[in-house]
Amino acid sequence: MSYFDHMQHLADADKQYIWHPFTQMQDWIKKDPIVITEGLDCFLKASDGRWYLDGVSSLWVNIHGHRRKEVDDAVKAQLDKIAHTTLLGLGNQPSIELAEKLIQLTDERFAGLSPRLSKVFYSDNGSTAVEVALKMAFQYWIHKGLPGKQHFIGIRNGYHGDTVGAMSVGSVDRFHATFGPLFFPSFKAPSPYCYRCELTREPSECGMACLSALEGLLKEHSGDIAAIILEPLVQAAGGMIVWPEGYLNGVRELCRIYNVLLIADEVATGFGRTGKMFACEHEQIVPDIICLSKGITNGYMPLAVTLATDEVYNAFLGEFRELKTFFHGHSYTGNPLACAAAIASLDIFFSDKTLETMHGKIAVVQDALQDIASLEHVGDVRNKGLMIGIELVRDKTTKEPYPWDEMIGWQVAYEARTESVIIRPLGNVIVVMPPLAIDMDNLRHLMYVIKKSIIAVTIKEKEGV
Ligand SMILES: *Cc1c(COP(=O)(O)O)cnc(C)c1O
């Protein structure tokens, strides 16, 4: 079979055998998919022979680029020892070394602040990291003698994963509406989404009314609340919604006052995405429980951690017969290959000076966004670090959105593909989230292609009206 026949076979077999996530397969099978065969640095090679710029870090997971020698070597070296062994009843070397590194890292990044994160619980992905956090918080209050604290508060537009517990505390209606009857009940506080304030206030005069609304919930229900769960600073899947300064700090304070735990879901924001190692650092707060996943292995392998304080951990200590054990675990918990990749990836932050070199890149992005903001159908541009959202609107004055079924975000993404750039939108929000290791020239090019694609699509759209 020739190379191209082989690639055509792959495309056909994809359509025949694979059910893709978040994908209307009836549309999918009408076109040949882009099949990725290789990667290098910030680029992906496809079966058509072209190299594409990876504008969304292979769905927000890649940090230092594809095929990083240090990570490749770490995984290969671990393969020569053992690929997998369990943490249920045994320890393993890479999981111990990674846990030690992670706690050293949080100690360093949150120095002088309290509480202190001190324990690492492993799982496989962002959703499981969240499930672990929810179950931990729930059981914690039972051990503390306050079993009435069984419920959670989520923030509207929050996304915490696709498992049933994570969906129950999330609220991106587009994704979640179908499964509503399955969810356990949880409270939802208003989203600090200033461009479309659900309390219809103006940021200049509101005095953070959304925070007051959250306090109202706590005043009435804190006896029933185990924890507040939130995505610190950027609600990512909800549309790259960047929070106003002070909101996160305000929530931390309310948690203290009303005696509820704070769970920070940093699955998307963690590992440098916002310009600091953890988003919570921006407001100098530490949660009681933190969930990390996506960037942890440089996008090499599925791995997640839920970090907790001694206060939480100690509540689970007791005699065997007391059944205070945390009854949770997964087959691949603490997988050695994934932990080895994670250790290597953490080291690169220092050898590459990843966070230090981001300042210049963030400035480039902000310049480009300012320019893009002036386009006729761009309603809002927002970023925190290299998490970037561009919200397209039909009418800039009224903020009228494009209708959902017009797929305006996808039109822009497909346009960008003709320029060899891969992006994936969230509804009408164009998402740009390159690997942090992207160089200045490629970053400028990426932002240029985004702008050009928005113009091409929104002008064409206009002529059709
Ligand atoms: C992606 C994401 C998750 C879910 O992670 P998966 O690995 O896809 O299960 C949870 N929380 C946040 C904030 C995320 O962005």
Side-chain angles (χ1 to χ4, degrees):
M1 217 192 281
S2 78
Y3 176 81
F4 284 103
D5 287 344
H6 180 54
M7 290 304 140
Q8 187 57 51
H9 171 76
L10 283 180
D12 294 341
D14 178 283
K15 291 191 263 186
Q16 192 171 353
Y17 298 114
I18 293 190
W19 190 343
H20 284 263
F22 281 98
T23 302
Q24 177 43 258
M25 295 307 292
Q26 184 174 303
D27 295 335
W28 178 268
I29 56 174
K30 286 181 192 150
K31 286 188 260 183
D32 272 352
I34 293 186
V35 177
I36 302 301
T37 54
E38 273 178 60
L40 189 66
D41 185 22
C42 299
F43 293 89
L44 302 169
K45 187 185 178 189
S47 50
D48 58 9
R50 285 165 70 185
W51 284 90
Y52 292 83
L53 187 52
D54 186 357
V56 284
S57 300
S58 293
L59 221 70
W60 316 356
V61 297
N62 195 284
I63 304 273
H64 308 298
H66 298 279
R67 297 259 310 281
R68 275 301 295 240
K69 187 172 181 337
E70 300 91 323
V71 188
D72 290 2
D73 288 349
V75 174
K76 287 176 192 165
Q78 183 57 42
L79 263 177
D80 283 336
K81 295 179 184 158
I82 188 169
H84 183 65
T85 159
T86 182
L87 288 196
L88 280 80
L90 296 171
N92 76 54
Q93 191 180 343
S95 70
I96 299 167
E97 286 167 0
L98 175 60
E100 186 175 31
K101 254 186 191 302
L102 285 170
I103 297 304
Q104 279 167 358
L105 181 66
T106 49
D107 275 349
E108 185 188 308
R109 306 303 303 196
F110 296 124
L113 302 173
S114 70
R116 174 176 178 256
L117 297 163
S118 56
K119 300 290 176 198
V120 177
F121 194 98
Y122 283 106
S123 64
D124 312 331
N125 58 68
S127 308
T128 55
V130 167
E131 299 287 339
V132 167
L134 297 174
K135 285 174 71 177
M136 244 179 212
F138 180 91
Q139 196 176 342
Y140 167 80
W141 289 112
I142 296 174
H143 297 330
K144 295 298 276 186
L146 291 170
K149 288 166 86 70
Q150 291 191 347
H151 296 284
F152 296 89
I153 300 180
I155 312 293
R156 238 169 257 126
N157 295 314
Y159 174 83
H160 302 289
D162 289 340
T163 52
V164 175
M167 283 196 297
S168 298
V169 293
S171 54
V172 180
D173 289 343
R174 270 199 307 277
F175 303 162
H176 295 159
T178 314
F179 300 106
L182 274 181
F183 299 168
F184 59 72
S186 72
F187 297 96
K188 299 285 152 63
S191 173
Y193 179 14
C194 297
Y195 180 65
R196 295 187 187 278
C197 175
E198 60 188 273
L199 306 172
T200 62
R201 304 285 294 267
E202 287 297 324
S204 53
E205 53 77 36
C206 73
M208 246 176 304
C210 45
L211 199 56
S212 312
L214 174 61
E215 177 159 24
L217 269 179
L218 285 166
K219 265 199 182 119
E220 201 175 332
H221 301 288
S222 70
D224 307 323
I225 305 293
I228 296 177
I229 179 163
L230 50 74
E231 294 167 87
L233 255 46
V234 186
Q235 290 184 304
M240 291 292 150
I241 297 164
V242 179
W243 287 355
E245 215 178 303
Y247 177 85
L248 177 63
N249 207 324
V251 177
R252 172 73 271 188
E253 204 43 41
L254 290 176
C255 287
R256 249 191 272 277
I257 295 169
Y258 290 93
N259 197 28
V260 306
L261 297 175
L262 178 62
I263 301 171
D265 176 357
E266 291 227 27
V267 168
T269 54
F271 299 106
R273 244 1 126 174
T274 66
K276 295 196 184 284
M277 189 61 86
F278 304 110
C280 286
E281 290 174 46
H282 288 279
E283 301 214 346
Q284 289 286 292
I285 66 115
V286 189
D288 301 287
I289 297 175
I290 191 169
C291 306
L292 301 167
S293 182
K294 289 197 170 91
I296 192 167
T297 61
N298 194 39
Y300 270 51
M301 260 168 299
L303 182 73
V305 291
T306 305
L307 271 49
T309 60
D310 274 343
E311 168 60 27
V312 171
Y313 172 83
N314 287 337
F316 289 74
L317 302 179
E319 297 300 328
F320 184 71
R321 61 184 147 72
E322 288 180 276
L323 296 176
K324 284 187 167 183
T325 306
F326 185 44
F327 292 108
H328 191 100
H330 296 280
S331 311
Y332 283 95
T333 294
N335 175 259
L337 290 174
C339 290
I343 292 168
S345 179
L346 279 180
D347 288 344
I348 298 177
F349 274 96
F350 300 96
S351 54
D352 271 11
K353 299 198 179 352
T354 304
L355 297 176
E356 293 84 338
T357 57
M358 273 181 80
H359 300 298
K361 298 176 190 178
I362 296 167
V364 162
V365 162
Q366 282 172 337
D367 273 355
L369 284 180
Q370 226 168 34
D371 181 32
I372 289 171
S374 64
L375 298 177
E376 195 181 337
H377 291 278
V378 171
D380 191 29
V381 296
R382 39 195 188 243
N383 82 294
K384 193 79 200 173
L386 293 183
M387 298 180 80
I388 302 151
I390 301 165
E391 183 165 339
L392 303 179
V393 288
R394 168 152 282 162
D395 185 320
K396 202 160 172 159
T397 319
T398 63
K399 303 185 182 177
E400 181 197 342
Y402 282 99
W404 169 249
D405 55 9
E406 215 165 290
M407 297 179 71
I408 196 81
W410 271 113
Q411 289 189 46
V412 173
Y414 288 134
E415 182 68 26
R417 278 191 194 175
T418 65
E419 303 274 346
S420 299
V421 164
I422 300 280
I423 49 170
R424 182 180 169 87
L426 289 159
N428 296 339
V429 178
I430 305 303
V431 174
V432 191
M433 204 132 125
L436 307 187
I438 191 170
D439 71 25
M440 289 286 210
D441 285 344
N442 285 324
L443 185 58
R444 279 195 200 94
H445 179 70
L446 174 61
M447 296 308 289
Y448 166 75
V449 169
I450 301 287
K451 179 184 172 187
K452 201 173 152 194
S453 305
I454 291 172
I455 292 172
V457 167
T458 54
I459 300 300
K460 192 170 65 193
E461 192 277 331
K462 218 172 115 196
E463 283 168 358
V465 168

PDB file of all heavy atoms in Angstrom, residues 148-166:
ATOM      1  N   GLY A 148     -24.149  17.082  58.209  1.00  0.00           N
ATOM      2  CA  GLY A 148     -25.148  17.824  57.434  1.00  0.00           C
ATOM      3  C   GLY A 148     -24.532  18.589  56.273  1.00  0.00           C
ATOM      4  O   GLY A 148     -25.230  18.986  55.336  1.00  0.00           O
ATOM      5  N   LYS A 149     -23.206  18.766  56.333  1.00  0.00           N
ATOM      6  CA  LYS A 149     -22.555  19.537  55.263  1.00  0.00           C
ATOM      7  C   LYS A 149     -22.307  18.612  54.070  1.00  0.00           C
ATOM      8  O   LYS A 149     -21.215  18.073  53.884  1.00  0.00           O
ATOM      9  CB  LYS A 149     -21.262  20.174  55.793  1.00  0.00           C
ATOM     10  CG  LYS A 149     -21.554  21.325  56.763  1.00  0.00           C
ATOM     11  CD  LYS A 149     -20.339  21.742  57.558  1.00  0.00           C
ATOM     12  CE  LYS A 149     -19.477  22.768  56.831  1.00  0.00           C
ATOM     13  NZ  LYS A 149     -20.101  24.105  56.732  1.00  0.00           N
ATOM     14  N   GLN A 150     -23.349  18.438  53.271  1.00  0.00           N
ATOM     15  CA  GLN A 150     -23.337  17.438  52.189  1.00  0.00           C
ATOM     16  C   GLN A 150     -23.379  18.049  50.802  1.00  0.00           C
ATOM     17  O   GLN A 150     -23.333  17.328  49.816  1.00  0.00           O
ATOM     18  CB  GLN A 150     -24.578  16.550  52.319  1.00  0.00           C
ATOM     19  CG  GLN A 150     -24.570  15.650  53.517  1.00  0.00           C
ATOM     20  CD  GLN A 150     -25.683  14.629  53.438  1.00  0.00           C
ATOM     21  OE1 GLN A 150     -26.583  14.752  52.611  1.00  0.00           O
ATOM     22  NE2 GLN A 150     -25.628  13.636  54.298  1.00  0.00           N
ATOM     23  N   HIS A 151     -23.556  19.349  50.717  1.00  0.00           N
ATOM     24  CA  HIS A 151     -23.794  19.952  49.405  1.00  0.00           C
ATOM     25  C   HIS A 151     -22.637  20.843  48.961  1.00  0.00           C
ATOM     26  O   HIS A 151     -21.777  21.199  49.756  1.00  0.00           O
ATOM     27  CB  HIS A 151     -25.103  20.745  49.432  1.00  0.00           C
ATOM     28  CG  HIS A 151     -26.288  19.867  49.680  1.00  0.00           C
ATOM     29  ND1 HIS A 151     -26.819  19.062  48.710  1.00  0.00           N
ATOM     30  CD2 HIS A 151     -27.001  19.644  50.810  1.00  0.00           C
ATOM     31  CE1 HIS A 151     -27.834  18.384  49.216  1.00  0.00           C
ATOM     32  NE2 HIS A 151     -27.962  18.712  50.494  1.00  0.00           N
ATOM     33  N   PHE A 152     -22.669  21.183  47.685  1.00  0.00           N
ATOM     34  CA  PHE A 152     -21.599  21.980  47.102  1.00  0.00           C
ATOM     35  C   PHE A 152     -22.170  23.234  46.446  1.00  0.00           C
ATOM     36  O   PHE A 152     -23.311  23.240  46.003  1.00  0.00           O
ATOM     37  CB  PHE A 152     -20.833  21.164  46.058  1.00  0.00           C
ATOM     38  CG  PHE A 152     -20.130  19.989  46.665  1.00  0.00           C
ATOM     39  CD1 PHE A 152     -20.769  18.755  46.783  1.00  0.00           C
ATOM     40  CD2 PHE A 152     -18.843  20.113  47.171  1.00  0.00           C
ATOM     41  CE1 PHE A 152     -20.136  17.671  47.371  1.00  0.00           C
ATOM     42  CE2 PHE A 152     -18.195  19.028  47.762  1.00  0.00           C
ATOM     43  CZ  PHE A 152     -18.849  17.812  47.871  1.00  0.00           C
ATOM     44  N   ILE A 153     -21.337  24.259  46.413  1.00  0.00           N
ATOM     45  CA  ILE A 153     -21.676  25.439  45.614  1.00  0.00           C
ATOM     46  C   ILE A 153     -20.712  25.483  44.435  1.00  0.00           C
ATOM     47  O   ILE A 153     -19.494  25.408  44.623  1.00  0.00           O
ATOM     48  CB  ILE A 153     -21.545  26.751  46.428  1.00  0.00           C
ATOM     49  CG1 ILE A 153     -22.477  26.732  47.644  1.00  0.00           C
ATOM     50  CG2 ILE A 153     -21.836  27.961  45.525  1.00  0.00           C
ATOM     51  CD1 ILE A 153     -22.399  27.990  48.504  1.00  0.00           C
ATOM     52  N   GLY A 154     -21.270  25.577  43.250  1.00  0.00           N
ATOM     53  CA  GLY A 154     -20.460  25.794  42.056  1.00  0.00           C
ATOM     54  C   GLY A 154     -20.709  27.212  41.550  1.00  0.00           C
ATOM     55  O   GLY A 154     -21.640  27.880  42.001  1.00  0.00           O
ATOM     56  N   ILE A 155     -19.875  27.657  40.623  1.00  0.00           N
ATOM     57  CA  ILE A 155     -20.047  28.994  40.047  1.00  0.00           C
ATOM     58  C   ILE A 155     -20.620  28.809  38.638  1.00  0.00           C
ATOM     59  O   ILE A 155     -20.122  27.964  37.883  1.00  0.00           O
ATOM     60  CB  ILE A 155     -18.698  29.747  39.950  1.00  0.00           C
ATOM     61  CG1 ILE A 155     -17.923  29.661  41.277  1.00  0.00           C
ATOM     62  CG2 ILE A 155     -18.921  31.197  39.510  1.00  0.00           C
ATOM     63  CD1 ILE A 155     -18.531  30.366  42.445  1.00  0.00           C
ATOM     64  N   ARG A 156     -21.656  29.568  38.302  1.00  0.00           N
ATOM     65  CA  ARG A 156     -22.256  29.394  36.983  1.00  0.00           C
ATOM     66  C   ARG A 156     -21.207  29.596  35.876  1.00  0.00           C
ATOM     67  O   ARG A 156     -20.293  30.404  36.053  1.00  0.00           O
ATOM     68  CB  ARG A 156     -23.448  30.353  36.798  1.00  0.00           C
ATOM     69  CG  ARG A 156     -24.721  29.575  36.488  1.00  0.00           C
ATOM     70  CD  ARG A 156     -25.972  30.430  36.559  1.00  0.00           C
ATOM     71  NE  ARG A 156     -26.700  30.174  37.789  1.00  0.00           N
ATOM     72  CZ  ARG A 156     -27.080  31.097  38.669  1.00  0.00           C
ATOM     73  NH1 ARG A 156     -26.811  32.357  38.461  1.00  0.00           N
ATOM     74  NH2 ARG A 156     -27.728  30.747  39.748  1.00  0.00           N
ATOM     75  N   ASN A 157     -21.353  28.858  34.805  1.00  0.00           N
ATOM     76  CA  ASN A 157     -20.361  28.774  33.714  1.00  0.00           C
ATOM     77  C   ASN A 157     -19.144  27.948  34.098  1.00  0.00           C
ATOM     78  O   ASN A 157     -18.183  27.864  33.338  1.00  0.00           O
ATOM     79  CB  ASN A 157     -19.880  30.151  33.220  1.00  0.00           C
ATOM     80  CG  ASN A 157     -20.993  30.939  32.574  1.00  0.00           C
ATOM     81  OD1 ASN A 157     -21.739  30.402  31.769  1.00  0.00           O
ATOM     82  ND2 ASN A 157     -21.121  32.207  32.936  1.00  0.00           N
ATOM     83  N   GLY A 158     -19.177  27.343  35.274  1.00  0.00           N
ATOM     84  CA  GLY A 158     -18.053  26.503  35.687  1.00  0.00           C
ATOM     85  C   GLY A 158     -18.105  25.159  34.971  1.00  0.00           C
ATOM     86  O   GLY A 158     -19.177  24.647  34.645  1.00  0.00           O
ATOM     87  N   TYR A 159     -16.939  24.605  34.711  1.00  0.00           N
ATOM     88  CA  TYR A 159     -16.842  23.278  34.104  1.00  0.00           C
ATOM     89  C   TYR A 159     -15.808  22.471  34.875  1.00  0.00           C
ATOM     90  O   TYR A 159     -14.697  22.933  35.101  1.00  0.00           O
ATOM     91  CB  TYR A 159     -16.412  23.387  32.634  1.00  0.00           C
ATOM     92  CG  TYR A 159     -16.157  22.040  32.003  1.00  0.00           C
ATOM     93  CD1 TYR A 159     -17.208  21.276  31.501  1.00  0.00           C
ATOM     94  CD2 TYR A 159     -14.861  21.515  31.929  1.00  0.00           C
ATOM     95  CE1 TYR A 159     -16.977  20.027  30.943  1.00  0.00           C
ATOM     96  CE2 TYR A 159     -14.623  20.270  31.374  1.00  0.00           C
ATOM     97  CZ  TYR A 159     -15.679  19.531  30.886  1.00  0.00           C
ATOM     98  OH  TYR A 159     -15.449  18.293  30.337  1.00  0.00           O
ATOM     99  N   HIS A 160     -16.182  21.277  35.281  1.00  0.00           N
ATOM    100  CA  HIS A 160     -15.271  20.475  36.098  1.00  0.00           C
ATOM    101  C   HIS A 160     -15.078  19.071  35.570  1.00  0.00           C
ATOM    102  O   HIS A 160     -14.506  18.233  36.265  1.00  0.00           O
ATOM    103  CB  HIS A 160     -15.767  20.465  37.543  1.00  0.00           C
ATOM    104  CG  HIS A 160     -15.874  21.846  38.127  1.00  0.00           C
ATOM    105  ND1 HIS A 160     -14.759  22.597  38.442  1.00  0.00           N
ATOM    106  CD2 HIS A 160     -16.942  22.637  38.392  1.00  0.00           C
ATOM    107  CE1 HIS A 160     -15.148  23.782  38.891  1.00  0.00           C
ATOM    108  NE2 HIS A 160     -16.460  23.837  38.873  1.00  0.00           N
ATOM    109  N   GLY A 161     -15.575  18.793  34.374  1.00  0.00           N
ATOM    110  CA  GLY A 161     -15.388  17.476  33.784  1.00  0.00           C
ATOM    111  C   GLY A 161     -16.717  16.844  33.430  1.00  0.00           C
ATOM    112  O   GLY A 161     -17.781  17.398  33.698  1.00  0.00           O
ATOM    113  N   ASP A 162     -16.642  15.653  32.845  1.00  0.00           N
ATOM    114  CA  ASP A 162     -17.821  15.027  32.256  1.00  0.00           C
ATOM    115  C   ASP A 162     -18.357  13.832  33.030  1.00  0.00           C
ATOM    116  O   ASP A 162     -19.334  13.217  32.607  1.00  0.00           O
ATOM    117  CB  ASP A 162     -17.499  14.579  30.822  1.00  0.00           C
ATOM    118  CG  ASP A 162     -17.367  15.776  29.898  1.00  0.00           C
ATOM    119  OD1 ASP A 162     -17.878  16.849  30.255  1.00  0.00           O
ATOM    120  OD2 ASP A 162     -16.748  15.634  28.835  1.00  0.00           O
ATOM    121  N   THR A 163     -17.730  13.469  34.125  1.00  0.00           N
ATOM    122  CA  THR A 163     -18.308  12.408  34.950  1.00  0.00           C
ATOM    123  C   THR A 163     -19.487  13.008  35.721  1.00  0.00           C
ATOM    124  O   THR A 163     -19.620  14.229  35.814  1.00  0.00           O
ATOM    125  CB  THR A 163     -17.251  11.831  35.898  1.00  0.00           C
ATOM    126  OG1 THR A 163     -16.651  12.912  36.601  1.00  0.00           O
ATOM    127  CG2 THR A 163     -16.187  11.066  35.130  1.00  0.00           C
ATOM    128  N   VAL A 164     -20.330  12.136  36.263  1.00  0.00           N
ATOM    129  CA  VAL A 164     -21.620  12.621  36.770  1.00  0.00           C
ATOM    130  C   VAL A 164     -21.464  13.571  37.962  1.00  0.00           C
ATOM    131  O   VAL A 164     -22.142  14.593  38.049  1.00  0.00           O
ATOM    132  CB  VAL A 164     -22.538  11.428  37.106  1.00  0.00           C
ATOM    133  CG1 VAL A 164     -23.836  11.914  37.740  1.00  0.00           C
ATOM    134  CG2 VAL A 164     -22.867  10.661  35.827  1.00  0.00           C
ATOM    135  N   GLY A 165     -20.533  13.263  38.861  1.00  0.00           N
ATOM    136  CA  GLY A 165     -20.319  14.167  39.992  1.00  0.00           C
ATOM    137  C   GLY A 165     -19.781  15.510  39.539  1.00  0.00           C
ATOM    138  O   GLY A 165     -20.248  16.572  39.972  1.00  0.00           O
ATOM    139  N   ALA A 166     -18.802  15.477  38.644  1.00  0.00           N
ATOM    140  CA  ALA A 166     -18.204  16.724  38.137  1.00  0.00           C
ATOM    141  C   ALA A 166     -19.243  17.543  37.374  1.00  0.00           C
ATOM    142  O   ALA A 166     -19.268  18.774  37.464  1.00  0.00           O
ATOM    143  CB  ALA A 166     -17.012  16.402  37.242  1.00  0.00           C
TER     144      ALA A 166
END
